[in-house]
Amino acid sequence: MSKLLYDTGEWNFDTLKRTYDAIEEIAIGEMGLDPYPNQIEMISSDQMLDAYSSIGMPIFYNHWSFGKRFARDEAMYRKGYSGLAYEIVINSNPCISYIMEENTMTMQTLVMAHAAFGHNHFFKNNYLFKEQTDASGILDYLNFAKSYVAHCEERHGIPAVERILDCAHALMDQGVNRYGRRARPSLAEEKARAEARAAHEESSFSDLWRTLPNAQKDRRRAGEGKKAEPLQDILGLPEENLLYFLEKFSPRLKDWERELLRIVRNIAQYFFPQRQTKMMNEGCATYCHYKIMNRLFEKGLISEGSMLEFLTSHTAVVFQPDFDDQRYSGINPYALGFEMMCDIERIVTDPTEEDRRYMPDIAGTGDAMAVLRSAWANFRDDSFIAQYLSPHLMRKMRMFMLQDLAADPTYKVAAIHDERGYREVRRALSRQYDPGLRDPNIQVTGADLPGDRRLTLTHFMHNDVPLAENDTMAVLAYVADLWGFDVELRGVGKDDEQRYRYEHVKSGPAPAQPAEPLAALV
């Protein structure tokens, strides 16, 4: 009698359950993964498109940009120009994985191994997700956010709500705490805060004027010779989280508008670990589904035909075009992540003398899954590359380092995959994934509340690279709209010298620039 879990591409819920149990036995029993409890949801392609357009969240508030993304993605999908993700997985407890009913049974198997166990294990164990997200409370918080935004739309009108959300979405990347632990959102606390704000709003004569600083107190403070430093202390300057500063100190925002900023800020913080671990997270999930599918085949539970179908999809996912290929658009995080996981397994189980010299701590220790589980738990992309990218993999992927100096008219190949270039290539690649160097370092450094209420932002430049002027002016318009007064942005180089200065004078509503939300699908 055949031991196969399935012998055709068709699926039903009994087959799914039987296959899930076989995957779980390998993932937990043999590989030692430690995931949250799983919840598998079957959805159609239209529902997948809908979730895809709202940054991968099935429960989310309404915004016009989500509809725009839905129309674009649907047109691309219907015309065959692009495909859909095979799955969407939510970092929640229980972990929810959405799989498409159009998938074959082999693809459902791959997706369950990839998402329900690979991503799930990474979410539960990586230190960044532990510190900065609340898996048990995120779905309740999204429900609260959805209902709160709908309530604001009914009470204040859709244009007023969208105006605030447009500004907040444009500033999402500057709305996270990059250092230090963020207080986790509690549904009870959020509801209590929202109700208190609503009650206070009803009893107040004018929130706009109530939130303005006390001019008499400020003048008295100035007369006491404490003009600059005490105000800096009160405002907590410098402040890296721009949305947080505007939420707390903007003179013009009403309470419900501050709550909307808080919602967007909390969601940006929720996605921040995914931005820091994209390559590791996908590499972990891809490595897990590859090992599980091969183990299912070794145990005789899936057929050769199913294995060939899996390998076709897997090869397409980890395909890395060469740098001079027309399809090249950077390093594929699935390819680099998967190759690094496989390389760690090789170093642990079958090391060379070179591996023992470069990675003496793990070379030849024998337990590959123990090393991988430790790496998945304790690193993010940049530190993972700095620690585990081996000379063997650099040669295999033919890595080299390009140097682009402003004084030189052409690029220069500064290092290649040889003995002299290994450390330079590894350091350069690691820096590409460092969020502290990749994202612009913009901080709130001044707010002249006693005077004309001008807000001052400072961009501390990396390698003296300025911001793009057109985009900068558009974003400054959103900042000015939330702040209510003039805003200036100064670019400061490494020698503390001001290199450029942009100024936006608040006059009328912000321009109707598209405000794309943070896209962080996994």
Side-chain angles (χ1 to χ4, degrees):
M1 184 176 177
S2 173
K3 289 172 53 182
L4 294 177
L5 295 167
Y6 52 88
D7 52 11
T8 70
E10 300 297 322
W11 61 266
N12 56 49
F13 289 105
D14 288 338
T15 308
L16 285 176
K17 179 67 171 63
R18 192 166 60 249
T19 305
Y20 174 87
D21 290 342
I23 293 172
E24 183 179 49
E25 185 177 328
I26 296 170
I28 297 178
E30 298 182 17
M31 298 175 67
L33 300 184
D34 176 28
Y36 291 121
N38 273 303
Q39 180 177 329
I40 310 294
E41 298 279 352
M42 187 67 67
I43 60 176
S44 66
S45 58
D46 288 337
Q47 290 172 310
M48 180 66 80
L49 275 167
D50 193 33
Y52 208 74
S53 62
S54 55
I55 60 174
M57 302 304 259
I59 307 169
F60 213 54
Y61 55 75
N62 297 323
H63 188 256
W64 64 266
S65 65
F66 303 152
K68 172 191 164 189
R69 287 170 60 87
F70 179 87
R72 182 196 64 187
D73 292 343
E74 183 187 35
M76 297 291 285
Y77 175 64
R78 301 298 178 204
K79 291 180 181 296
Y81 295 139
S82 67
L84 288 179
Y86 295 127
E87 103 293 339
I88 284 181
V89 56
I90 309 299
N91 170 27
S92 59
N93 184 11
C95 181
I96 304 175
S97 300
Y98 294 87
I99 56 179
M100 278 203 305
E101 60 187 14
E102 286 88 345
N103 290 347
T104 64
M105 189 56 220
T106 297
M107 293 307 301
Q108 307 291 32
T109 308
L110 185 157
V111 166
M112 286 191 288
H114 181 93
F117 290 94
H119 282 310
N120 188 352
H121 172 86
F122 195 86
F123 288 147
K124 184 178 180 183
N125 294 280
N126 183 264
Y127 79 102
L128 286 173
F129 287 88
K130 284 181 173 179
E131 288 181 355
Q132 301 189 21
T133 65
D134 179 12
S136 60
I138 184 60
L139 294 179
D140 287 340
Y141 188 75
L142 291 177
N143 267 318
F144 159 75
K146 183 180 178 69
S147 61
Y148 188 84
V149 172
H151 171 74
C152 290
E153 288 175 342
E154 290 178 4
R155 183 161 188 174
H156 305 287
I158 293 177
V161 173
E162 287 193 338
R163 178 176 141 264
I164 298 298
L165 290 179
D166 285 352
C167 298
H169 287 177
L171 301 171
M172 274 182 102
D173 286 348
Q174 301 300 323
V176 296
N177 295 321
R178 291 180 171 77
Y179 312 100
R181 184 170 181 159
R182 175 186 68 92
R184 295 178 177 179
S186 159
L187 178 61
E189 291 175 359
E190 297 296 337
K191 282 185 173 178
R193 183 182 295 107
E195 290 170 358
R197 284 183 170 174
H200 187 70
E201 182 181 359
E202 291 176 355
S203 62
S204 300
F205 173 73
S206 171
D207 277 349
L208 176 63
W209 293 108
R210 183 183 63 78
T211 55
L212 283 174
N214 188 315
Q216 275 191 330
K217 190 180 295 182
D218 290 338
R219 282 195 293 272
R220 187 164 58 248
R221 185 180 297 119
E224 293 170 355
K226 301 178 180 178
K227 183 177 179 180
E229 288 192 359
L231 190 58
Q232 295 278 317
D233 292 342
I234 292 170
L235 299 178
L237 299 181
E239 172 58 59
E240 62 163 356
N241 192 327
L242 182 53
L243 276 183
Y244 172 82
F245 182 85
L246 293 169
E247 174 199 332
K248 299 300 180 187
F249 300 111
S250 170
R252 71 169 299 273
L253 290 181
K254 300 173 183 175
D255 283 347
W256 67 270
E257 294 173 324
R258 296 180 198 277
E259 191 64 44
L260 291 181
L261 292 192
R262 179 177 170 79
I263 287 172
V264 174
R265 183 168 61 81
N266 280 334
I267 290 171
Q269 192 74 49
Y270 172 79
F271 280 113
F272 191 51
Q274 297 197 23
R275 292 172 52 199
Q276 300 176 80
T277 58
K278 173 74 174 177
M279 183 272 291
M280 280 188 71
N281 198 350
E282 296 299 354
C284 168
T286 305
Y287 178 84
C288 287
H289 83 226
Y290 182 79
K291 300 296 288 187
I292 290 171
M293 293 297 289
N294 276 278
R295 189 74 183 108
L296 288 173
F297 180 69
E298 289 171 3
K299 295 172 73 172
L301 297 177
I302 60 175
S303 65
E304 291 183 351
S306 177
M307 197 62 186
L308 286 173
E309 181 185 351
F310 153 69
L311 288 174
T312 301
S313 297
H314 173 79
T315 305
V317 167
V318 299
F319 174 65
Q320 174 61 60
D322 292 335
F323 77 96
D324 55 352
D325 191 306
Q326 290 186 345
R327 295 166 292 181
Y328 181 81
S329 60
I331 295 180
N332 177 358
Y334 293 83
L336 180 59
F338 177 68
E339 290 289 352
M340 287 194 68
M341 306 307 168
C342 293
D343 195 49
I344 289 173
E345 179 183 358
R346 179 192 63 79
I347 294 169
V348 171
T349 56
D350 186 21
T352 63
E353 285 305 315
E354 180 184 61
D355 297 324
R356 294 184 187 279
R357 194 166 65 252
Y358 274 87
M359 300 184 190
D361 292 342
I362 64 170
T365 53
D367 190 348
M369 282 308 304
V371 174
L372 286 171
R373 288 195 300 270
S374 173
W376 295 335
N378 299 305
F379 290 86
R380 63 181 190 182
D381 285 350
D382 57 321
S383 57
F384 179 69
I385 290 172
Q387 181 73 19
Y388 291 110
L389 183 62
S390 71
H392 171 85
L393 187 56
M394 283 185 256
R395 288 194 297 272
K396 181 180 179 182
M397 298 188 74
R398 299 178 180 275
M399 293 182 178
F400 58 92
M401 172 187 167
L402 276 183
Q403 191 175 55
D404 180 18
L405 298 177
D408 294 340
T410 57
Y411 290 106
K412 176 184 178 184
V413 178
I416 63 172
H417 45 269
D418 62 5
E419 194 67 34
R420 292 188 300 173
Y422 292 140
R423 297 188 189 283
E424 287 298 323
V425 171
R426 180 163 61 185
R427 187 180 301 115
L429 186 60
S430 172
R431 287 167 64 89
Q432 282 189 18
Y433 288 86
D434 185 349
L437 302 176
R438 185 179 53 195
D439 298 337
N441 180 10
I442 300 174
Q443 299 182 20
V444 182
T445 53
D448 188 13
L449 292 181
D452 63 359
R453 297 190 174 84
R454 176 181 292 263
L455 183 69
T456 301
L457 309 178
T458 301
H459 172 216
F460 297 96
M461 303 161 64
H462 298 309
N463 297 325
D464 285 344
V465 178
L467 299 172
E469 183 172 355
N470 290 338
D471 292 343
T472 301
M473 294 305 293
V475 174
L476 281 185
Y478 286 118
V479 178
D481 196 32
L482 292 175
W483 179 248
F485 297 91
D486 298 352
V487 177
E488 69 171 356
L489 173 68
R490 302 184 301 116
V492 175
K494 57 186 177 184
D495 51 2
D496 292 333
E497 181 182 344
Q498 179 173 308
R499 302 299 173 84
Y500 65 86
R501 179 172 174 269
Y502 297 132
E503 183 173 3
H504 183 86
V505 178
K506 175 75 180 103
S507 59
Q513 295 287 338
E516 293 292 347
L518 176 70
L521 297 176
V522 289

